[in-house]
Amino acid sequence: MTKLSVNINKFATLRNARGGNNPNLVQVALDAERFGAQGITVHPRPDERHIRYRDVYELKENITTEFNIEGNPKERSFVDLVLANKPTQVTLVPDALGQLTSNHGWDTITHQSYLKEIITEFKKAEIRVSIFVDANEKMVEGAAQTGTDRIELYTEGYAQKFTQNPDLAIAPYRKAADLATQLNLGVNAGHDLDIHNLQFFAQHVPQLVEVSIGHALVCDCLYLGMENTIQRYLHQLKK
């Protein structure tokens, strides 16, 4: 079964809106694990507008499932944070400073030399590495040359086209995942996956190891409750 990693950034956004520690992120993470999530994801940004760097240390001390830290390694503070906490996985995302949300994958050809260098640094620390890529076979081929363990397919394009034509929407992701498997890369996915489009994606990309879902899942929690929401997402991932 594909693993569900819950991105808790939006819980941190809610906390930061009022100051204090409500909701308590550590408790949120522990509850997500208790309700069945197999991982916790955070994406700290330099402005700390949601996840704060100190949150990462507190979460690392308390969670028992896989810990995934996302971010742009061109910020040295991010690299130092990851090396200090040694999560199960680091996911490298090419976000610009101040970017609202991730909106593209790495150009694994243009940035191949840099990616090789930074991935080597993380792997020396025995941290599994995944890099964010578009569903583009050339970018997947480039990713295989970097030394990464996995790729994370950026799925906004799939989500946008899903309601009009699911088969057309999934086609490039199936090709990218097939190629990744041939190149001995694990396949993760994330961005705009939700309760409506997740099952179709998981069924048609059987290589899928892990999905990281935050915004949609947190929104569903407001209506359905956290336990019910996580159980529903897990159900969508059953093959």
Side-chain angles (χ1 to χ4, degrees), residues 115-127:
L115 288 168
K116 285 182 178 179
E117 180 180 341
I118 194 65
I119 288 169
T120 296
E121 185 171 1
F122 286 130
K123 292 184 75 170
K124 282 182 179 177
E126 299 183 342
I127 301 169

Side-chain angles (χ1 to χ4, degrees), residues 153-155 158-159 162 169-170 173-174 177 187-190 193 197-206 208 211 237 239:
L153 293 173
Y154 169 55
T155 50
Y158 162 76
F162 174 77
I170 198 67
Y173 295 87
R174 295 184 68 171
V187 178
N188 296 343
L193 294 174
N197 61 38
L198 180 59
Q199 186 176 59
F200 188 88
F201 191 93
Q203 288 177 341
H204 289 80
V205 183
L208 193 61
V211 292
L237 290 171
K239 301 292 174 65

Side-chain angles (χ1 to χ4, degrees), residues 74-169:
K74 290 190 176 181
E75 297 292 331
R76 187 65 211 185
S77 59
F78 173 81
V79 175
D80 292 340
L81 180 71
V82 172
L83 292 175
N85 285 276
K86 292 190 176 182
T88 314
Q89 176 175 271
V90 59
T91 300
L92 309 185
V93 183
D95 282 351
L97 191 65
Q99 189 168 321
L100 179 63
T101 187
S102 306
N103 62 10
H104 65 282
W106 285 96
D107 182 333
T108 59
I109 297 171
T110 300
H111 299 287
Q112 190 168 115
S113 178
Y114 167 73
L115 288 168
K116 285 182 178 179
E117 180 180 341
I118 194 65
I119 288 169
T120 296
E121 185 171 1
F122 286 130
K123 292 184 75 170
K124 282 182 179 177
E126 299 183 342
I127 301 169
R128 187 175 71 227
V129 181
S130 178
I131 58 176
F132 209 51
V133 298
D134 298 314
N136 179 307
E137 290 174 273
K138 288 185 178 179
M139 294 302 107
V140 175
E141 289 174 350
Q145 300 300 315
T146 66
T148 190
D149 301 293
R150 296 184 184 180
I151 57 170
E152 178 172 331
L153 293 173
Y154 169 55
T155 50
E156 182 179 5
Y158 162 76
Q160 289 177 340
K161 296 175 182 177
F162 174 77
T163 55
Q164 285 77 39
N165 190 327
D167 291 327
L168 182 64

